[in-house]
Amino acid sequence: MTTFNNKLTPIIAVLGMTIVNSSLAGEYTQPNMVKIPGGEFMMGTAFGDKRAQPLHKVAVKPFMMAQHLVTMAEYKQFIEDTNYSPSQNCKDTLTENWLSSPEDQGDKNWQTHRYVISEYQPVSCITWSDANAYIDWLNQKTGKEFRLPTEQEWEYATRANTTSRYFWGDDENQTQACQYGNFADHSSEYWASNMVGASYVGFLEHANCDDNEPFITLVGMYRPNPFGLYDMVGNVSQHLSHCYYPEYKTRSKEEMDTRTCERIAHRGFSWHMPPVSHSDRGRFNPRFAPGAGLGFRLASDDLTLTANDSTKKFNAKLANAQQARIAERPIITQAPAHIQLNEIEKGKHLLSWQKSADTKVTHYEVYQSNQPHSHVMLGFFKKHYKKIATVKANQSSYEVTLPPEGGSYRVTAITKDAGSLPSDAAYITNPKVANIPGKIDMQNVSSLYNAKLGYQAANETRSELYYITKLNTGYDQKEVTATFDVNVQHEGWYKLNYRARTGIDGVFYKLWQDNTHIGDIVYGDKKSDPNYNRVYLKKGKSKLQLSVMRPGMDYWSMGAIELSILDAPTKSL
């Protein structure tokens, strides 16, 4: 049985899992297959990640697709019957810096990686070749013809005739996602943060819901899509049958030969991601070591496939395993809500929150920021906050002394077995006003939306640096805005220089003075061109806002901005 407690039991080291020796030589399981009706659909997207463009019409013939991903129990039958030796170099890294790079080699396999909790979870840590070896064996055992799905079949089957953002609806705030798939969510953030200091905050981000599953879980634990398919998104991503190319266009037979192409397609993404667009595409280099987030499901052109005795036997065991998992999975409590700071007297405030409805809460922990801008910093909150008090469960307030420079507070609820994520921050800030001409430091941001503040410590070769940063995953097109209080001492034309890193040349961000658009700031060769990045500023105190909207996948960061007045401040350039 899996146990998670406040002593942080090493929950990802084979999580109390036992593989039962239930398979006899020669046994196999014929999967549950669902008939997918043929039809046409619009594949890809008209915006967002360019690798999923253009939006184009695709016709799909009727086919069969497995209701579930292939499980460890099924794969074990194959191994025992054939003595096949699958990959032994799987990477199952989980550290403060998350997962290892694709080029790294591991020393785990499909049975020994750290995310194993049940033989009824999807098999992972296998290569595309390992998946196809299983399919060849199953075809021989059943006399049927199973295969991997194509990319077109996968997207068609996942969308299931829906036109919303996800097959379960638009769900813009991602509050419903945890009913339909195993994604990065509240439990993922809690356990990864408390175990190794890893955090989704300011990185991939996480869904605004919770399914009590931190990592991989059993198949079929979530609601199916309209075609009756489980785990089409989340849990583990799925190997597909053909090569991956960044552009959608017709390819020759030689180009699509999976024995020679550089990358092979996969779809669905894993527990390590928030929900992504059903058009978002993945690719796997077969020369790299496999990871613990990639598995597979079966497809077939045989429309007569039906369940047999092995299928029914599997279904019964899966149902029992699912009920056992529901009973044992770790449950974190809700974070305290409605956090407020109310001034009692100068410098002293009453921090209050709504008491938790969870009767298992034993106490609350109050955290104070280490610096005025901790509430917008990326990463695990305990890196930016210190615990200042423990408050009994029947209390919902605590008196605090706010530093003169401002700061913030967060509260967590604690139970016997676990706790909660931190509450939203209650904060009061006194951002510095930047004098222009002069420099604007990122830590003096007065408001920041859809991005976080990063920090780089000083060393022998570099000075201390705060920077705004954002990982655009291609499917995430949220606009970032950052606002600064400035005092422009002279009206006129200014040259803007800045420190930044981005993978896309061209317009980087738009600049606004109060509510007036004053210029588009470019990155790349034109950045140093005297005819670019010139803005006209009006004299006086105002708010300077920059807005960033990247056109595709980009991990960008921006440090200090410097504005220097030009020699001839005239409005006609």
Side-chain angles (χ1 to χ4, degrees):
M1 177 176 176
T2 304
T3 57
F4 294 62
N5 56 44
N6 58 356
K7 295 182 180 179
L8 297 180
T9 303
I11 63 169
I12 53 172
V14 192
L15 302 180
M17 175 271 180
T18 301
I19 296 290
V20 179
N21 270 329
S22 59
S23 299
L24 301 175
E27 280 196 340
Y28 69 90
T29 299
Q30 184 163 306
N32 296 284
M33 301 297 287
V34 175
K35 184 176 179 179
I36 308 300
E40 292 183 340
F41 79 111
M42 298 303 294
M43 184 175 183
T45 181
F47 56 90
D49 193 341
K50 293 189 179 298
R51 294 171 303 178
Q53 295 182 29
L55 186 67
H56 59 290
K57 184 180 289 187
V58 172
V60 176
K61 294 180 180 179
F63 69 101
M64 303 288 281
M65 182 170 272
Q67 197 171 41
H68 301 296
L69 294 151
V70 173
T71 64
M72 292 181 63
E74 294 166 278
Y75 202 77
K76 185 169 182 280
Q77 293 172 332
F78 158 60
I79 297 296
E80 292 184 345
D81 194 39
T82 62
N83 291 320
Y84 178 83
S85 180
S87 303
Q88 303 293 320
N89 60 341
C90 175
K91 304 165 298 181
D92 64 349
T93 306
L94 181 63
T95 68
E96 179 183 348
N97 296 318
W98 282 113
L99 311 181
S100 58
S101 73
E103 294 85 356
D104 292 342
Q105 299 287 312
D107 60 357
K108 299 297 189 294
N109 64 31
W110 67 281
Q111 270 188 312
T112 62
H113 65 83
R114 71 173 70 223
Y115 302 107
V116 174
I117 59 171
S118 166
E119 62 180 342
Y120 289 96
Q121 72 184 60
V123 64
S124 61
C125 274
I126 59 170
T127 66
W128 187 85
S129 296
D130 293 336
N132 278 281
Y134 170 86
I135 293 172
D136 290 342
W137 167 81
L138 186 62
N139 289 346
Q140 183 181 30
K141 300 295 288 188
T142 62
K144 312 293 184 181
E145 292 187 5
F146 296 99
R147 57 175 174 80
L148 293 174
T150 67
E151 199 167 5
Q152 291 81 2
E153 287 172 337
W154 185 92
E155 187 169 330
Y156 176 72
T158 301
R159 293 182 182 276
N161 293 329
T162 62
T163 57
S164 51
R165 186 179 188 184
Y166 309 113
F167 68 73
W168 59 89
D170 288 325
D171 195 14
E172 292 185 5
N173 296 320
Q174 296 184 352
T175 57
Q176 303 170 45
C178 296
Q179 300 175 55
Y180 296 90
N182 182 16
F183 304 110
D185 60 8
H186 293 174
S187 281
S188 305
E189 173 70 15
Y190 178 87
W191 292 108
S193 292
N194 282 279
M195 289 186 312
V196 296
S199 176
Y200 291 97
V201 176
F203 176 50
L204 294 172
E205 304 302 339
H206 57 74
N208 187 28
C209 56
D210 193 17
D211 63 2
N212 303 316
E213 293 287 2
F215 310 112
I216 301 173
T217 191
L218 284 64
V219 300
M221 297 286 283
Y222 304 88
R223 296 179 183 179
N225 79 349
F227 280 165
L229 302 171
Y230 294 86
D231 299 295
M232 287 302 290
V233 287
N235 218 3
V236 299
S237 195
Q238 303 165 45
H239 284 295
L240 299 177
S241 64
H242 56 75
C243 300
Y244 167 91
Y245 291 96
E247 310 91 6
Y248 281 135
K249 69 178 186 179
T250 303
R251 297 282 174 178
S252 67
K253 184 177 180 180
E254 290 74 19
E255 288 177 308
M256 296 303 287
D257 187 343
T258 51
R259 296 170 298 179
T260 58
C261 63
E262 184 177 351
R263 293 182 176 90
I264 297 174
H266 69 85
R267 289 290 196 104
F269 295 89
S270 71
W271 56 267
H272 186 49
M273 302 281 286
V276 304
S277 166
H278 298 337
S279 64
D280 209 60
R281 307 174 69 205
R283 69 268 195 212
F284 173 76
N285 188 327
R287 288 177 290 281
F288 291 164
L294 188 55
F296 69 107
R297 77 170 65 227
L298 303 178
S300 178
D301 296 314
D302 184 353
L303 303 182
T304 67
L305 287 171
T306 57
N308 64 13
D309 288 343
S310 70
T311 315
K312 297 171 184 176
K313 182 179 178 181
F314 171 85
N315 290 343
K317 289 185 176 182
L318 173 61
N320 290 335
Q322 289 170 337
Q323 290 303 311
R325 179 59 185 166
I326 290 171
E328 71 178 12
R329 60 189 179 185
I331 298 176
I332 64 172
T333 193
Q334 291 286 323
H338 306 300
I339 313 298
Q340 294 183 5
L341 270 176
N342 294 306
E343 189 171 26
I344 304 171
E345 56 183 270
K346 187 172 180 60
K348 291 189 178 296
H349 289 75
L350 186 67
L351 177 70
S352 60
W353 58 91
Q354 184 180 52
K355 285 198 295 186
S356 173
D358 187 348
T359 58
K360 297 188 295 296
V361 170
T362 58
H363 60 281
Y364 299 98
E365 293 179 346
V366 179
Y367 290 82
Q368 180 177 328
S369 59
N370 296 331
Q371 48 194 327
H373 36 271
S374 290
H375 63 290
V376 293
M377 296 291 287
L378 61 84
F380 185 27
F381 87 101
K382 288 184 181 179
K383 294 178 181 178
H384 314 300
Y385 288 81
K386 59 185 177 183
K387 187 169 76 170
I388 60 170
T390 298
V391 177
K392 294 179 180 179
N394 60 357
Q395 294 179 250
S396 58
S397 63
Y398 184 75
E399 188 176 309
V400 296
T401 301
L402 190 71
E405 65 274 18
S408 60
Y409 298 88
R410 295 184 187 268
V411 182
T412 62
I414 306 299
T415 67
K416 177 183 177 182
D417 297 320
S420 74
L421 291 179
S423 68
D424 292 337
Y427 61 92
I428 296 176
T429 59
N430 300 301
K432 293 181 180 178
V433 177
N435 288 316
I436 305 300
K439 187 172 72 167
I440 301 174
D441 292 316
M442 296 297 101
Q443 68 267 33
N444 293 323
V445 63
S446 60
S447 65
L448 180 62
Y449 294 98
N450 295 326
K452 290 294 180 180
L453 198 63
Y455 174 72
Q456 177 181 283
N459 60 23
E460 296 81 3
T461 61
R462 69 189 183 200
S463 58
E464 178 184 68
L465 175 68
Y466 287 91
Y467 56 93
I468 294 172
T469 184
K470 173 74 173 181
L471 173 61
N472 273 63
T473 51
Y475 52 83
D476 180 8
Q477 300 297 315
K478 293 181 179 178
E479 183 180 47
V480 171
T481 61
T483 305
F484 301 87
D485 294 324
V486 299
N487 180 25
V488 181
Q489 298 174 347
H490 306 284
E491 181 168 345
W493 284 98
Y494 287 78
K495 174 68 175 177
L496 186 148
N497 289 301
Y498 61 96
R499 297 179 63 177
R501 179 178 296 173
T502 175
I504 304 173
D505 288 351
V507 174
F508 188 7
Y509 58 94
K510 295 181 179 294
L511 198 65
W512 309 73
Q513 186 177 24
D514 290 330
N515 294 318
T516 302
H517 177 221
I518 59 173
D520 291 346
I521 309 303
V522 301
Y523 182 87
D525 294 340
K526 293 179 179 179
K527 181 179 175 183
S528 57
D529 190 318
N531 294 316
Y532 286 87
N533 296 349
R534 304 175 79 175
V535 295
Y536 193 89
L537 296 177
K538 293 183 178 180
K539 184 178 179 179
K541 291 184 178 181
S542 59
K543 291 189 179 295
L544 205 64
Q545 184 183 80
L546 56 92
S547 58
V548 186
M549 186 75 168
R550 308 311 279 150
M553 187 170 184
D554 188 25
Y555 189 22
W556 61 266
S557 59
M558 182 163 54
I561 293 173
E562 182 129 17
L563 285 152
S564 54
I565 195 164
L566 294 173
D567 292 336
T570 171
K571 265 199 168 186
S572 56
L573 285 179

